Amino acid sequence: MTTNNATYWEPLWAGGRQYREVTSVETALLADYLGPGLGRPALDIGSGDGALARHLHHRLGYRTTGIDCAPSAVAAAARDTEPAGGPVWRQVDFINDDLGALPDTAYAVVTCRLVYRWMDDKPAFLDRVRRILAPGGMFWVVTELAGRREDIDPLKSLGITPAEAETLTAGWSVVRTADLDSLRCYALRP
């Protein structure tokens, strides 16, 4: 089953499914690794309810676009955005849609929180990210690592395998990581 498209995600978002919140520890790491945005463009892939995109925009100062393939996720993100300004929200299937529809051709930061694991063709996904990442930009990935949960947890296998982590980190000139319980944060530079 393909899990990286609206057919899979829309019923979950429309049904009110909630996902792991962005924590203060995670946002502190993000600020340390990215630094101030200074109005530079940022793209949040798989924005969901928009929490990470709003943080990039309001707290770090990036000019942020949040995209998600699920219309209900985009609607939820837009509903929680202040009318006076905030991220731009678009329904975009990052894998299959024309990336020329994005508001910028290159991004200083591309983020992908709890999304990479669901990409069926991870090398193709990473190629698309590299195409839109500005020179010197950063790709920030937060993903669960398989096997980090307790043995009795039914979600123990949720996360990326060591081989998938190797695919993620191959070909970048800088790879920095930080661990948050079952999650790992990756800061990747071309």
Side-chain angles (χ1 to χ4, degrees), residues 10-31:
E10 178 58 19
L12 298 172
W13 280 104
R17 178 98 179 253
Q18 297 293 309
Y19 297 90
R20 184 179 172 138
E21 291 183 19
V22 179
T23 66
S24 59
V25 174
E26 194 177 330
T27 57
L29 275 172
L30 185 66

Side-chain angles (χ1 to χ4, degrees), residues 3 16-17 20 27 44 48 50 52 60 82 96 151 161 166 170 173 178 187:
T3 57
R17 178 98 179 253
R20 184 179 172 138
T27 57
D44 183 31
L52 181 59
L60 297 182
E82 301 163 14
N96 298 306
D151 286 342
T161 65
E166 188 175 317
S173 66

Side-chain angles (χ1 to χ4, degrees), residues 29 33 140 169 175-179 184-188:
L29 275 172
Y33 281 71
W140 177 260
T169 58
V175 175
R176 295 176 58 198
T177 63
D179 285 340
R184 178 166 288 162
C185 302
Y186 293 87
L188 308 168

Side-chain angles (χ1 to χ4, degrees), residues 93-141:
D93 179 331
F94 187 77
I95 292 295
N96 298 306
D97 289 349
D98 177 8
L99 298 182
L102 296 173
D104 293 282
T105 57
Y107 292 86
V109 171
V110 175
T111 59
C112 170
R113 183 178 185 274
L114 306 179
V115 172
Y116 177 73
R117 182 255 183 265
W118 301 102
M119 292 297 124
D120 295 325
D121 186 343
K122 289 171 178 50
F125 172 74
L126 294 168
D127 286 346
R128 288 186 75 108
V129 168
R130 284 181 172 97
R131 277 190 261 161
I132 62 165
L133 195 60
M138 180 176 290
F139 183 34
W140 177 260
V141 179

